[in-house]
Amino acid sequence: GNLGVKYGQKAAAQLGLNREQMSFFLLHGELDAGHSQDILDVLEQAPLTPYEWAYCEYAAECTLELYRNMYNHAVNRVSRGMLV
């Protein structure tokens, strides 16, 4: 739901950045909140096999890892004084 927004705001606060400087992360997180519910609604209607459910779980874990890496990379660059 709102993890992107929450994490983006926390990162901005810790780095002393304003909303404009964090616009990609914050706006992306706000938009994702609606997408998350859309995905859950579709999945509730989907007659998926156990294999397909496992693949959905794998895709979600990969996506989480990619987001985590993106945020961490940006935070590391900003904390070292490099532009994001």
Side-chain angles (χ1 to χ4, degrees):
N2 292 322
L3 289 178
V5 173
K6 189 181 293 185
Y7 191 32
Q9 290 172 339
K10 189 174 185 176
Q14 288 177 347
L15 296 168
L17 300 174
N18 64 38
R19 183 171 176 76
E20 183 178 302
Q21 292 168 308
M22 291 290 290
S23 62
F24 171 80
F25 296 104
L26 296 175
L27 293 174
H28 196 211
E30 290 168 8
L31 293 172
D32 277 352
H35 292 129
S36 296
Q37 187 59 53
D38 292 342
I39 292 168
L40 292 174
D41 292 344
V42 168
L43 289 174
E44 284 180 5
Q45 304 290 324
L48 300 177
T49 67
Y51 173 80
E52 291 167 328
W53 278 113
Y55 197 79
C56 286
E57 182 179 350
Y58 172 73
E61 289 171 355
C62 288
T63 301
L64 175 64
E65 185 65 23
L66 291 170
Y67 272 103
R68 182 183 299 125
N69 288 339
M70 178 179 66
Y71 275 110
N72 288 337
H73 182 72
V75 168
N76 287 336
R77 286 180 59 89
V78 170
S79 65
R80 291 191 317 240
M82 303 171 75
L83 294 176
V84 179

